[in-house]
Amino acid sequence: MTAMLTYAEAVDHLYALGQELAPPVDGAPRRKFDLEHMRVLARALGDPQLRFPSVLIGGTNGKGSTAATLSSILSASGYRTALYTSPHLYHVNERIQVDSAAISDEDFARHYAHVGDVARNLVATGKLPHMPSFFEVLTALAFLSFAEQRVDIAVLEVGLGGRLDATNIVEPVLSILTDIALDHQDYLGPTIADITREKAGILRPSGTLITLPQHPEANQAIGEAAAGLRLNAISAANYIPTPEAIVREPSTSMQPIPRNHYVVSFAGQALEVNSPLPGQHQQRNIALALAAAAEISNREGSLFLQREGIGNKISNKTTIASVEAGIRGTQWPGRLEFLPPNLLLDVAHNPAGAWTLRAAITQLPDSQPRTLIFSCLRDKDLDEMTKILFPLFDSTSGDLARAHDHIILAPIPNPRAAEVEDLLAAAQRLDIPAHASPHLEAALTQARAITPTGGLIVATGSVYLVGELRHLATQA
């Protein structure tokens, strides 16, 4: 048995394991995904993932927002609800929550030591070819924590893809597919159809799928997967608000992009959606969460098995009031999040996310000066993202409203980060002026100095960028 680690030691050990998407070192081959390795580790830990019902959420964009909204609804409805998401903004504990409370440092270190001991024994006895990766260990740790806390239900965000993702060893009572777009093509395939087939790997024979109509290639691939598995497919389209149902709230200095506020029908009754997550795109994520909550409500009692160690039998817990309260209480920072007096944070990390952010920016007053802080990982489509976003901050465009705009580029503290030289080259290819800062703290200081009074600083391009800047801004 390994001596008990401190939290800091556990986190250091965890990062030393290597992450699935980290670049290979010294020409070593890229690690291949193999779900059987995760199953071997879980079996040695007592299969904790089978001791609670799970909802598994895959897709490209919107997974985390959907998971956070559904988790909040279920907690408000009285369920002891686990939430597993990735990546984190600042502290790794953020990924593992029960009823909105992150795992404690002490529990994190304790479970990490146990998973490490078991994994090393599996390697020593030849049952595993190598130590599990960062994400595999963290997923196993989360499952142990959730089982120990005897949660009623776990909402799990898939990390990458679906078919081979470490979370996919659960047997989900519901599978949700959010919007699918091009991302991680090196791992998931070059087309939306290829990527969708990987994402559809979270579906189960005779299981239940909740999704929305989306890109035609994705629709076709999802339909083919559903037909082959004889799924119960549920569309969340009925929970998308009609234009007349939306409450048009004005922008304010404290909420430049208004909350989502509208009424939909839920279980035959009027339900008020008043979500702190702004942006029209969130209406799709909220709809998916509502469809999942409705399905859980319909199956309350039968969904929660009365077997030793597997949840509790619960009935009639979900109400209109609890769903409304859960939506209002959703916590999911870094998604069009405004930090007064003038910082807007958004984790848009791929072209689809950049388009969503662009749509939100166009809702802002055109006369408002803007400064963009941008960076991204080098495995992202840098040229496409900059083509979408940089023209909105082009001080040389001839548009007088943009004359006082700026673009600041800075490196992210991550081994996968794009070099500042590459960021500058992307701006030069567009013939749009941009400045470089040595690090994100300097970028934020510079942005605050050059943005006129009443102007807005927009920071985006990566979860890692937003997490670091959010920490800097809230600690100031």
Side-chain angles (χ1 to χ4, degrees):
M1 175 71 179
T2 299
M4 181 55 68
L5 299 171
T6 66
Y7 171 74
E9 289 170 338
V11 172
D12 287 344
H13 286 204
L14 178 65
Y15 278 101
L17 291 174
Q19 301 188 48
E20 283 80 352
L21 300 183
V25 178
D26 297 329
R30 178 178 282 168
R31 169 177 272 185
K32 293 184 178 180
F33 296 97
D34 188 337
L35 201 57
E36 185 56 31
H37 295 167
M38 187 64 192
R39 292 193 180 102
V40 168
L41 177 60
R43 280 196 294 270
L45 293 168
D47 278 327
Q49 78 282 1
L50 301 182
R51 290 165 56 188
F52 47 82
S54 297
V55 176
L56 197 51
I57 304 178
T60 303
N61 292 319
K63 292 179 296 184
S65 298
T66 302
T69 301
L70 176 59
S71 171
S72 186
I73 290 171
L74 295 175
S75 289
S77 298
Y79 297 111
R80 186 164 174 77
T81 307
L83 176 64
Y84 182 55
T85 58
S86 63
H88 56 277
L89 282 177
Y90 199 74
H91 292 291
V92 70
N93 307 49
E94 299 166 20
R95 299 179 181 222
I96 302 169
Q97 300 182 24
V98 174
D99 290 337
S100 299
I103 186 172
S104 69
D105 291 354
E106 295 76 16
D107 285 345
F108 185 98
R110 176 169 57 86
H111 287 306
Y112 179 83
H114 180 43
V115 174
D117 283 340
V118 169
R120 279 186 289 275
N121 182 64
L122 292 170
V123 173
T125 56
K127 294 176 183 176
L128 280 180
H130 45 65
M131 284 294 288
S133 68
F134 174 104
F135 191 72
E136 288 168 334
V137 167
L138 200 57
T139 303
L141 190 162
F143 290 160
L144 279 176
S145 176
F146 297 158
E148 179 179 85
Q149 296 195 59
R150 296 182 65 84
V151 301
D152 296 318
I153 191 166
V155 180
L156 310 174
E157 178 188 358
V158 173
L160 173 68
R163 182 175 62 91
L164 298 176
D165 189 78
T167 60
N168 201 30
I169 64 169
V170 303
E171 287 302 323
V173 294
L174 298 175
S175 297
I176 300 174
L177 285 177
T178 67
D179 291 341
I180 296 172
L182 292 175
D183 201 12
H184 298 303
Q185 290 100 309
D186 288 351
Y187 291 87
L188 305 179
T191 70
I192 288 179
D194 292 325
I195 293 170
T196 304
R197 283 188 281 270
E198 288 294 318
K199 305 281 186 184
I202 68 170
L203 308 182
R204 297 293 188 270
S206 303
T208 298
L209 162 67
I210 295 174
T211 192
L212 280 165
Q214 47 181 298
H215 191 284
E217 286 185 47
N219 289 339
Q220 181 174 344
I222 292 170
E224 291 169 354
L229 295 171
R230 299 188 178 184
L231 288 173
N232 172 30
I234 298 173
S235 172
N238 288 339
Y239 299 101
I240 299 288
T242 60
E244 56 271 18
I246 297 174
V247 178
R248 306 292 177 181
E249 296 186 349
S251 298
T252 68
S253 59
M254 297 300 293
Q255 188 79 46
I257 301 176
R259 297 165 64 99
N260 276 295
H261 191 184
Y262 50 85
V263 174
V264 295
S265 176
F266 184 91
Q269 301 179 63
L271 182 143
E272 181 185 22
V273 170
N274 192 352
S275 172
L277 303 183
Q280 186 177 358
H281 66 290
Q282 290 291 0
Q283 294 170 12
R284 294 176 63 82
N285 303 324
I286 294 167
L288 291 168
L290 284 171
E295 180 65 12
I296 290 170
S297 177
N298 290 338
R299 293 160 60 177
E300 281 171 338
S302 63
L303 179 61
F304 299 90
L305 307 177
Q306 279 191 306
R307 287 194 292 147
E308 181 63 28
I310 305 188
N312 304 299
K313 188 172 182 180
I314 303 171
S315 61
N316 301 321
K317 301 203 79 170
T318 306
T319 66
I320 292 292
S322 69
V323 175
E324 290 178 341
I327 293 172
R328 285 195 307 273
T330 302
Q331 300 175 34
W332 197 230
R335 282 73 184 173
L336 289 177
E337 180 185 18
F338 182 69
L339 299 181
N342 64 346
L343 180 60
L344 182 68
L345 301 169
D346 192 69
V347 300
H349 63 280
N350 55 33
W355 277 116
T356 296
L357 174 58
R358 181 180 174 122
I361 291 173
T362 59
Q363 298 179 41
L364 299 170
D366 190 57
S367 60
Q368 184 178 40
R370 308 166 185 160
T371 298
L372 174 68
I373 302 176
F374 179 87
S375 193
C376 68
L377 301 180
R378 65 172 174 267
D379 56 357
K380 300 299 181 178
D381 194 338
L382 171 60
D383 278 335
E384 188 64 22
M385 292 173 70
T386 55
K387 287 177 184 176
I388 296 166
L389 292 175
F390 283 17
L392 300 181
F393 302 82
D394 183 3
S395 60
T396 63
S397 66
D399 182 350
L400 293 179
R402 305 276 62 79
H404 300 288
D405 286 8
H406 303 275
I407 297 175
I408 303 173
L409 308 172
I412 302 170
N414 186 284
R416 294 164 52 207
E419 300 291 339
V420 173
E421 291 76 11
D422 294 331
L423 300 174
L424 284 168
Q428 289 166 1
R429 285 191 288 274
L430 296 172
D431 199 23
I432 295 177
H435 317 283
S437 281
H439 46 70
L440 290 176
E441 185 174 9
L444 182 57
T445 299
Q446 183 182 7
R448 285 170 167 166
I450 64 178
T451 303
T453 301
L456 185 69
I457 301 170
V458 179
T460 192
S462 170
V463 174
Y464 302 99
L465 174 144
V466 166
E468 182 69 21
L469 287 178
R470 189 176 192 275
H471 176 72
L472 291 170
T474 55
Q475 296 303 305

